């Protein structure tokens, strides 16, 4: 939510690699407030089936942040969040 309020929406991701659904744990999308889907970018250096990064820039009104989800060999690897205060 904005400035301590309740979230207006939740975030769920669905990703496929080589026609297979990649399982993304619930924890990978929790705690991300005010997602801005217009900023979502898929980065695929080299072969996309080998590795990829999904990037999104968001803001909760009090501060901005970016989030990266990493994928390798068709599997979810990790999430990293950076505050931009």
């Amino acid at each position: 939510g904005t400035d301590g309020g309740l979230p207006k929406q939740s975030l769920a991701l669905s990703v496929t690699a080589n026609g297979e659904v990649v399982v993304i744990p619930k924890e990978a999308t929790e705690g991300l407030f005010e997602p801005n889907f217009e900023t979502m970018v898929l980065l695929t250096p080299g072969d996309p089936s080998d590795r990829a990064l999904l990037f999104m820039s968001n803001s909760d009104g009090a501060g901005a942040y970016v989030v990266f989800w990493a994928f390798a060999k068709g599997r979810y690897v990790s999430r990293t969040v950076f505050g931009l205060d």
Side-chain angles (χ1 to χ4, degrees):
T2 303
D3 293 330
L6 293 175
K8 297 176 193 167
Q9 56 188 329
S10 61
L11 177 64
L13 295 176
S14 177
V15 176
T16 59
N18 293 328
E20 299 289 325
V21 175
V22 178
V23 176
I24 302 172
K26 183 178 177 181
E27 301 83 41
T29 59
E30 289 181 333
L32 301 176
F33 299 103
E34 301 305 323
N36 183 354
F37 297 100
E38 293 178 9
T39 66
M40 189 174 278
V41 175
L42 179 64
L43 305 171
T44 56
D47 182 358
S49 64
D50 188 38
R51 63 180 176 233
L53 291 172
L54 187 59
F55 165 85
M56 182 188 283
S57 177
N58 303 314
S59 177
D60 68 354
Y65 68 96
V66 295
V67 58
F68 286 90
W69 293 275
F71 302 88
K73 306 283 187 205
R75 298 182 146 216
Y76 169 79
V77 177
S78 64
R79 175 186 95 166
T80 303
V81 178
F82 297 98
L84 300 175
D85 295 343

